[in-house]
Amino acid sequence: MPDSRINLLAKSLICSASFFAIQIPAANAANVSDEHIRQIVEGLLKEKDQKIQQLEARIQQLEQTPQAAAPSPLQANTNVASTVKASEKAPVATGKVAETAAEPAISSKLGALTEEVEELREAAKEKGLDISGFFDVNAKTDNSTDQTFSVGSVELDLEYAYNDHFAASSALVLCGNSSGTDYSAPAAITCGGSGPGGIGAGGAGIAVALVDYHMFDDSIPPRGRIFNANGLHVQGGRFDLPFSSDYQYFANTDRVTVTAPITTSRMQFGGYNGDGVRSYGAWNMFNYSVFWTDAMYAEDGTSVGGRLGMSVGQNTYRTHKNTSEGIEFGVSHLSDLDKNRNVRNSVYGADLSLGYSFLKLQNEVMWRNAHDNFIADGFDYGKPNELGYHTTLLADLENFTGYPVTTFARYGRWQPHNRIAEDYDGQLVAINNVSALTFGLNYKFNEYFKLKFEYTDSLGTQTQERYFDKNLGIAQLVVAF
């Protein structure tokens, strides 16, 4: 260190000492000498010089070591603080330590990027607009469409919040229909089983379009579960009917399995969906829904009905949780009326869901009581009553395997009263009781990619319907955005 610097500091201390020497007795002032002060200052400066040299050597060594990724500002501050402490203990550090320090820097960078994306999404929501969607691609074993690969559907969901009480939602659906069949065929053939709802006879349409007034709650996504929190909603437009419990999974991105249960695919035409008004709400453990829409079973008339539910246990208000704990029970009813307000069909339903630990059991039963006989070609075939039910078991194995894998098994049965019915094209075909045993797995890469595998066997039962498959294996990739 230059002598001028030492002399300057020494003179400063001497001046200070001289000032205080005036205030103390002359005997003590005589003991303070310039040489003594100089020795003290020189010792302090040498000690600081050694620490500065150690720090400079450490910094130079880190600059020469290649870095895998630039640390975030928070990580950089942490590294500098660690360097100062390390330099006081050891002046030399190995390159291996620097490489180890770079690994958490990469994780920190990815975490910061994820936070930025979430911030952007939250900023968009603050402006009132929420945009999302999905599409699915399927590969099948030998099947009635004679095709292996197909695109199910592409769905775009839009939601806009006007203020704290009003919002509008819509779901636009484009069906792949890779088989090129008539759009009156089952939804599983034309639209990938994604529950396109009331898009009509065409490959594209509106599955959901509604305006929502809500109190004590936020607006909800266009499709999926609606009982998310305490609140009251009144809506008008087009929507999925909250009958029983499978309405929550009409969209493939929400469904754990590939195909819908037999109660939805056969008795609800792929999923009840209509134009009209509805109201629903939840308070503590109870929830309700009522609706008045166009007819579900004919071209004219209306349908009116609803559901009463009760939830007990943890996570009472959940959003698309596959294995939430607790018990949920509900009863549903739908009356289908003709234009003269006469009841044509009465549909009753009950659902029960049990969740515990990594398991969840879903159960549904539906009964359709037809009030009019089915008459075709001048022959009376009787009342087309039908009964359907299914039991589905889901097992979330992530805690056991370390991977986000959910396995499932389902048994369903459909029991029609008649043995003759109209196929999708109006042709009369023979039908019978149908059983379906389904099992498979769902692998969730992240929030945007899901890969599903499923196999279904009819256990020897069959009908003469054009698109009936006795057994079918499906692989499905669902991509959300």
Side-chain angles (χ1 to χ4, degrees), residues 248-299:
Q248 305 172 77
Y249 314 111
F250 284 176
N252 277 341
T253 187
D254 297 328
R255 190 178 294 283
V256 177
T257 61
V258 176
T259 58
I262 204 165
T263 49
T264 298
S265 61
R266 284 196 167 270
M267 299 185 67
Q268 296 188 33
F269 323 111
Y272 284 151
N273 179 283
D275 302 344
V277 294
R278 70 175 179 180
S279 174
Y280 64 86
W283 186 258
N284 293 332
M285 61 189 297
F286 299 100
N287 55 72
Y288 83 95
S289 66
V290 292
F291 51 82
W292 182 24
T293 67
D294 52 5
M296 294 293 105
Y297 288 87
E299 297 295 331

Side-chain angles (χ1 to χ4, degrees), residues 205-228:
I206 301 172
V208 175
L210 57 86
V211 60
D212 172 77
Y213 173 78
H214 48 272
M215 297 178 61
F216 319 113
D217 191 10
D218 296 326
S219 59
I220 50 88
R223 316 191 82 175
R225 182 176 175 82
I226 57 178
F227 304 115
N228 296 330

Side-chain angles (χ1 to χ4, degrees), residues 155-158 168-173 195-199 205-211 220-224 235 237-241 250 273-275 278:
E155 180 172 321
L156 177 64
D157 298 332
L158 305 173
S169 302
S170 66
L172 310 177
V173 177
I199 66 172
I206 301 172
V208 175
L210 57 86
V211 60
I220 50 88
R223 316 191 82 175
Q235 299 176 338
R238 177 174 294 180
F239 43 80
D240 298 325
L241 272 61
F250 284 176
N273 179 283
D275 302 344
R278 70 175 179 180

Side-chain angles (χ1 to χ4, degrees), residues 90-388:
V92 180
T94 63
K96 184 176 181 180
V97 174
E99 293 177 0
T100 303
E103 294 178 359
I106 297 176
S107 300
S108 177
K109 194 70 175 180
L110 292 176
L113 181 60
T114 302
E115 291 179 0
E116 290 178 2
V117 172
E118 292 298 327
E119 289 176 359
L120 291 175
R121 296 180 65 179
E122 291 299 325
K125 289 184 178 181
E126 289 178 0
K127 298 296 183 180
L129 180 63
D130 190 11
I131 303 175
S132 60
F134 71 91
F135 65 89
D136 60 276
V137 181
N138 306 277
K140 302 179 181 179
T141 58
D142 293 342
N143 61 88
S144 55
T145 66
D146 299 325
Q147 289 192 340
T148 300
F149 300 100
S150 63
V151 173
S153 63
V154 181
E155 180 172 321
L156 177 64
D157 298 332
L158 305 173
E159 180 183 0
Y160 183 78
Y162 294 97
N163 52 44
D164 292 340
H165 297 290
F166 283 95
S169 302
S170 66
L172 310 177
V173 177
L174 175 63
C175 294
N177 195 16
S178 300
S179 60
T181 187
D182 189 278
Y183 281 100
S184 59
I189 303 301
T190 60
C191 221
S194 59
I199 66 172
I206 301 172
V208 175
L210 57 86
V211 60
D212 172 77
Y213 173 78
H214 48 272
M215 297 178 61
F216 319 113
D217 191 10
D218 296 326
S219 59
I220 50 88
R223 316 191 82 175
R225 182 176 175 82
I226 57 178
F227 304 115
N228 296 330
N230 289 337
L232 172 67
H233 292 254
V234 178
Q235 299 176 338
R238 177 174 294 180
F239 43 80
D240 298 325
L241 272 61
F243 185 96
S244 198
S245 63
D246 192 61
Y247 74 91
Q248 305 172 77
Y249 314 111
F250 284 176
N252 277 341
T253 187
D254 297 328
R255 190 178 294 283
V256 177
T257 61
V258 176
T259 58
I262 204 165
T263 49
T264 298
S265 61
R266 284 196 167 270
M267 299 185 67
Q268 296 188 33
F269 323 111
Y272 284 151
N273 179 283
D275 302 344
V277 294
R278 70 175 179 180
S279 174
Y280 64 86
W283 186 258
N284 293 332
M285 61 189 297
F286 299 100
N287 55 72
Y288 83 95
S289 66
V290 292
F291 51 82
W292 182 24
T293 67
D294 52 5
M296 294 293 105
Y297 288 87
E299 297 295 331
D300 63 292
T302 60
S303 290
V304 60
R307 177 183 181 273
L308 291 176
M310 181 177 65
S311 300
V312 180
Q314 300 179 6
N315 302 324
T316 302
Y317 307 111
R318 64 190 188 277
T319 55
H320 306 153
K321 297 292 185 180
N322 298 330
T323 55
S324 57
E325 295 187 350
I327 302 173
E328 183 170 5
F329 173 75
V331 291
S332 304
H333 173 73
L334 181 148
S335 290
D336 192 62
L337 313 175
D338 63 20
K339 61 182 180 180
N340 297 318
R341 303 295 187 267
N342 297 315
V343 178
R344 289 181 299 217
N345 296 277
S346 297
V347 185
Y348 305 89
D351 60 271
L352 174 65
S353 297
L354 306 172
Y356 181 74
S357 184
F358 67 99
L359 296 174
K360 183 174 183 180
L361 186 66
Q362 299 174 329
N363 305 273
E364 284 185 306
V365 59
M366 282 184 63
W367 176 48
R368 173 193 171 198
N369 180 27
H371 297 268
D372 299 328
N373 290 359
F374 172 60
I375 301 176
D377 297 335
F379 189 82
D380 188 347
Y381 292 96
K383 295 180 179 179
N385 300 332
E386 53 186 338
L387 173 69

